Every structure is written in structure tokens, then in C-alpha cells.
């Protein structure tokens, strides 16, 4: 039996095990409230499963909202593979990428019926809320693990900027974070089309991207 670790009174299992077919029924039934990881209480985290990844010797928690992500789904298994990819990529990241992840405590994977809901950096509790709908392209196919991992690095950098007292929102901040994804393209395994996409965002951000910056994630 895989032994969990404890944080804030809740149990967390290795993410690559919990979010896979190997997880035991007991672990899958270990559903707890992890509301303290997010500041906006519009996102209810009363029924969650908890995993962790080890990055540079410290644990970053992967928390799945069980109301929107269920065991056995593609999204559930993707979270496990994403944890494995991020762990295996960490040592190859540049100093800036590693420093950003040092300021990340948790990634919450959730969804919502609210069309305004989106991924965002919840900077005060050092958490990245990842909208599981963004695991997929518009054609329904899953994004690459490399791109999903680069999004975690991107939003960890928003948290770092906040912790440093720098402006962490707005176009300049986004450009810095997109640049960090590009700088770590080889380390994370980004494809050329993904790098080109990020470069395009830096050069000429599309109107919908600019609008998204001003949109509250729970509006």
C-alpha cells in the first residue's frame, strides 16, 4: 500500500500513482475538503482528492475537485501523467523556471458550468487553479503534457512576481511568463508549433487574450 503524507490535516498520495489505474479503492475514496488552498470561495473544494509531486526536493500538491474530475476519466489520468512529466523535467529547467516553481504550493484541477471560469494564478495562497477544460484543444484532443506543464511554470511565475512585490498582472507580466515558457521549451519538450504560438502571443496578443486578462475567473 502506498503511504500518504499529511498537510493541513489532509492526506496526499504520489500523484503519478493516485491519478492512474494503479490507485487503490481506499485511496480513491479518501475524499476531503481542501478549501484552504484557494482564496475565492466561489470555487468550492469540499470534495477533493489529493496528490503530490516532488520538485527540487519539495512537495507541490495536485488537488482534483471530484465534482468536476472523476477517477478513470481522461482528465484524471492526464493529471497523473502531467505530474510525472513535470517531475522529470524539473532538473532541466533554467534557474528562473525552478525559482518560479519554488513559489508554487499547489495546483487545483477543477471545472465549472460558468462560462467565465478559466485557469488563473491564485497568488496569495500560492496556488494555480487549472481549468480542466483547458486540457483540450478546440477539436477535443488533449493538449501535450509539455504544454500543460509549461502553463504551470507560467502561472508559478505570476505567483513569484506577486511574492516579490512586482506587478503580476497585465500584458507586461503575461509577456514575461510566456517568455519563461519559451526559455524552457527544450527542458519541457515543447513542440515547434507550441513555441511559435507563444511567440505570437508575445508579439501580437489576440483580442480574446487581452480581454481574458481583464476577466475575473469567476465573473
Amino acid at each position: 500500500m502506498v503511504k500518504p503524507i499529511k498537510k493541513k490535516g489532509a492526506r496526499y498520495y504520489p500523484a503519478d500513482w493516485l491519478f492512474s489505474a494503479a490507485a487503490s479503492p481506499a485511496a480513491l475514496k479518501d475524499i476531503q475538503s481542501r478549501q484552504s488552498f484557494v482564496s475565492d470561495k466561489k470555487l468550492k473544494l469540499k470534495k477533493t482528492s489529493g496528490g503530490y509531486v516532488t520538485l527540487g526536493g519539495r512537495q507541490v500538491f495536485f488537488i482534483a475537485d471530484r465534482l468536476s474530475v472523476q477517477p478513470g476519466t481522461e482528465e484524471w489520468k492526464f493529471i497523473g501523467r502531467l505530474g510525472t512529466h513535470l517531475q522529470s523535467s524539473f532538473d532541466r529547467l533554467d534557474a528562473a523556471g525552478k525559482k518560479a516553481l519554488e513559489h508554487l504550493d499547489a495546483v487545483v484541477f477543477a471545472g465549472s458550468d460558468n462560462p467565465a471560469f478559466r485557469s488563473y494564478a491564485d497568488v496569495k495562497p500560492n496556488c494555480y487553479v487549472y481549468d480542466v477544460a483547458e486540457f483540450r484543444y478546440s477539436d477535443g484532443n488533449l493538449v501535450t503534457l509539455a504544454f500543460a506543464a509549461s502553463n504551470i511554470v507560467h502561472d508559478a511565475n505570476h505567483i513569484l512576481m506577486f511574492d516579490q512585490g512586482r506587478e503580476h498582472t497585465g500584458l507586461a507580466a503575461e509577456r514575461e511568463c510566456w517568455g519563461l515558457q519559451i526559455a524552457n521549451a527544450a527542458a519541457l519538450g515543447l513542440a515547434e508549433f507550441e513555441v511559435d504560438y507563444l511567440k505570437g502571443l508575445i508579439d501580437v496578443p489576440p483580442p480574446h487574450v487581452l480581454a481574458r486578462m481583464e476577466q475575473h475567473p469567476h465573473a
Side-chain angles (χ1 to χ4, degrees), residues 134-176:
E134 295 178 25
F135 282 176
R136 296 185 182 275
Y137 297 114
S138 58
D139 63 4
N141 289 319
L142 289 168
V143 300
T144 66
L145 292 171
F147 191 72
S150 79
N151 287 336
I152 295 176
V153 174
H154 174 120
D155 278 83
N157 199 59
H158 280 296
I159 296 168
L160 168 62
M161 296 167 79
F162 175 83
D163 288 348
Q164 292 177 332
R166 296 193 287 139
E167 181 55 59
H168 68 285
T169 62
L171 184 55
E174 291 296 338
R175 280 180 165 144
E176 177 179 323

Side-chain angles (χ1 to χ4, degrees), residues 4-54:
I5 63 173
K6 286 189 176 181
K7 175 75 172 182
K8 298 181 180 179
R11 291 171 292 277
Y12 296 84
Y13 301 85
D16 57 353
W17 178 81
L18 178 64
F19 299 102
S20 73
S24 67
L28 295 178
K29 290 179 180 178
D30 191 357
I31 299 173
Q32 302 178 49
S33 171
R34 293 176 171 86
Q35 194 67 40
S36 63
F37 278 99
V38 293
S39 63
D40 193 329
K41 303 314 176 189
K42 290 182 180 179
L43 179 60
K44 305 297 184 183
L45 296 178
K46 297 301 184 184
K47 296 181 179 180
T48 59
S49 290
Y52 69 88
V53 298
T54 302

Side-chain angles (χ1 to χ4, degrees), residues 103-124:
H103 288 253
L104 179 69
D105 289 338
V107 183
V108 170
F109 299 93
S112 174
D113 294 332
N114 183 351
F117 182 70
R118 60 171 175 80
S119 299
Y120 65 98
D122 200 356
V123 293
K124 193 169 184 179

